Amino acid sequence: MVQDEQWATDLAAIEEQALQALAKISDESDLQAWRTLHLGRSSAVMQTFTRLGQAPKEQRPALGQAANRVKQALESALALREQALGQAELERSLSSERLDVTLPGRQPHLGRLHIATQTLREIYRVFAEMGFQVYRSREVETDAFNFELLNIPAYHPARDMWDTFHTTTPGVVLRTHTSPGQIHAMREFAPEPVRVILPGMCYRYEQSSVRHEIQFNQVEVLAVGRGITFGDLKGTLQEFARRLFGQNVRTRLRPSYFPFTEPSAEMDVECFVCGGAGCQICKGSGWLEILGCGMVHPLVLQNGGYDPAVYSGFAAGMGPERMTILRYRIEDIRNFWGNDVRFLEQF
Ligand code: DAH
């Protein structure tokens, strides 16, 4: 009986100690350590089973049952603790990763086409409708293509019209206009008819200012075939202006001079700002110059591989940035390549 009591107090102490330790655990890995210590092979409860053999035979069943109860009590306390810790962990992660689906979303920053690209694409569209293909030509040119084949010989005073960037390779320049593309296109198409526009960047060695920039786009227009007349030039360019600026826009041609066309002209459109009455933008004239044009010079046709006795053609060259400036009343041409988003975002 005495020994019986001793066993009972031992078991009660084992249980109490284990439960106290369990209550302090707040971490899953500590739970594993606790399991080993209090329910493992060499834990106090399990040792009790080993020691059962030393007890008097008639007491063994009762002692065994008592030890079993303690073991089961510890196991179920462990299970409860495990569950509680798991639940706490779940709640913690749910609340820390909470997503408020009612918050307003962040606006993605929308990109847009550069204003020069927008104008270029409008020009492509209008000419495409009239049957013109886009033909790309190089930005680095030889003196021959940029000047000589366009009827601008060395030392000719007309060269002063184009301030040129020369490269370190003699005779190689950055194109000063898209006109050299005329020769490339003609040589590729001859003797078939040509109907192309040639867009691209041009470079001029100038002091940059509000009105001048060392780089700018041009779009060259070229049509070569049999029986093309000045009337075709006028009709095509007028129609272009109407499709780009509006059906009611008025245009006019003024005589001019370019070495690669004969006769040559410049086309004006009625000022979009004042409607022809005269304002600051059109300098009181009511007209805005938008392009140079003319009938392709016989020497240029010949350099392109066409017999000028059989073929004729017209050409034109325009500056999309210049046209954009007029249209949106942009004050400084340097804004185009200044990469200031405050400017670019306006279009
Ligand atoms: N290439 C000329 C320039 O840069 C513009 C030009 C004028 C092009 C008349 C033409 C043309 O094709 O016919 O100033």
Side-chain angles (χ1 to χ4, degrees):
M1 224 36 209
V2 176
Q3 200 179 14
D4 211 4
E5 277 172 18
Q6 185 56 47
W7 277 80
T9 31
D10 282 357
L11 274 172
I14 288 170
E15 183 178 359
E16 195 186 319
Q17 215 190 355
L19 289 178
Q20 275 176 3
L22 186 63
K24 289 186 193 138
I25 287 176
S26 58
D27 183 289
E28 301 236 74
S29 64
D30 290 348
L31 272 187
Q32 293 315 314
W34 183 92
R35 186 203 300 276
T36 314
L37 193 63
H38 297 280
L39 282 169
R41 213 178 264 277
S42 44
S43 63
V45 213
M46 298 315 255
Q47 289 298 316
T48 315
F49 289 109
T50 326
R51 277 171 33 224
L52 265 185
Q54 298 161 12
K57 212 171 182 170
E58 64 286 359
Q59 291 180 5
R60 284 182 202 163
L63 288 176
Q65 279 169 16
N68 237 336
R69 248 199 324 279
V70 172
K71 181 178 164 245
Q72 278 164 7
L74 292 187
E75 277 170 349
S76 58
L78 173 67
L80 277 176
R81 192 82 196 127
E82 254 176 343
Q83 207 190 1
L85 281 184
Q87 185 63 29
E89 169 62 21
L90 182 66
E91 274 164 22
R92 196 195 54 75
S93 80
L94 280 180
S95 69
S96 71
E97 291 159 21
R98 186 157 48 202
L99 193 69
D100 184 349
V101 293
T102 65
L103 279 176
R106 284 191 200 110
Q107 276 281 342
H109 197 77
L110 271 191
R112 68 199 74 212
L113 292 176
H114 192 283
I115 180 61
T117 308
Q118 291 179 33
T119 307
L120 278 169
R121 292 199 180 173
E122 274 184 67
I123 296 171
Y124 301 163
R125 176 184 56 80
V126 170
F127 277 107
E129 286 168 5
M130 299 196 288
F132 285 76
Q133 275 180 278
V134 172
Y135 188 97
R136 300 262 169 201
S137 171
R138 61 197 68 166
E139 291 181 19
V140 179
E141 273 295 0
T142 58
D143 187 277
F145 275 86
N146 197 76
F147 294 116
E148 305 230 358
L149 294 166
L150 293 169
N151 196 29
I152 317 166
Y155 310 112
H156 191 284
R159 284 218 179 186
D160 291 350
M161 290 165 80
W162 298 276
D163 300 297
T164 311
F165 277 115
H166 296 270
T167 67
T168 47
T169 311
V172 177
V173 301
L174 297 188
R175 68 175 172 193
T176 59
H177 50 179
T178 44
S179 303
Q182 289 189 25
I183 305 288
H184 291 293
M186 283 193 277
R187 288 188 175 179
E188 188 173 325
F189 285 87
E192 297 300 319
V194 191
R195 218 190 283 165
V196 290
I197 56 171
L198 304 116
M201 204 53 95
C202 303
Y203 303 88
R204 291 202 194 157
Y205 183 52
E206 288 185 278
Q207 176 71 50
S208 72
S209 70
V210 172
R211 290 172 156 269
H212 293 99
E213 186 44 300
I214 60 170
Q215 67 174 82
F216 53 89
N217 283 290
Q218 276 194 349
V219 180
E220 192 86 8
V221 185
L222 176 68
V224 178
R226 288 170 192 259
I228 292 183
T229 67
F230 198 89
D232 295 318
L233 172 149
K234 191 174 172 185
T236 306
L237 295 181
Q238 258 177 1
E239 186 55 24
F240 160 71
R242 287 204 192 103
R243 292 189 189 202
L244 193 70
F245 298 118
Q247 280 304 311
N248 299 321
V249 78
R250 291 195 301 148
T251 57
R252 72 174 185 187
L253 286 172
R254 272 181 296 105
S256 185
Y257 170 75
F258 298 101
F260 30 86
T261 44
E262 181 58 36
S264 304
E266 278 170 316
M267 192 167 89
D268 298 338
V269 294
E270 194 177 52
C271 179
F272 345 98
V273 179
C274 62
C279 69
Q280 256 189 327
I281 301 283
C282 61
K283 301 198 193 80
S285 71
W287 297 95
L288 299 168
E289 182 214 316
I290 60 158
L291 56 81
C293 58
M295 299 306 289
V296 182
H297 194 289
L299 278 173
V300 176
L301 280 176
Q302 208 162 34
N303 291 337
Y306 291 89
D307 178 357
V310 181
Y311 296 93
S312 58
F314 69 78
M318 64 189 84
E321 278 89 282
R322 205 190 119 72
M323 289 159 64
T324 309
I325 278 180
L326 297 172
R327 212 164 166 193
Y328 295 102
R329 288 179 245 177
I330 295 164
E331 272 152 24
D332 191 334
I333 195 167
R334 290 170 296 189
N335 281 328
F336 276 93
W337 317 120
N339 263 346
D340 185 335
V341 282
R342 290 170 303 179
F343 168 77
L344 299 172
E345 270 175 355
Q346 295 174 56
F347 307 99

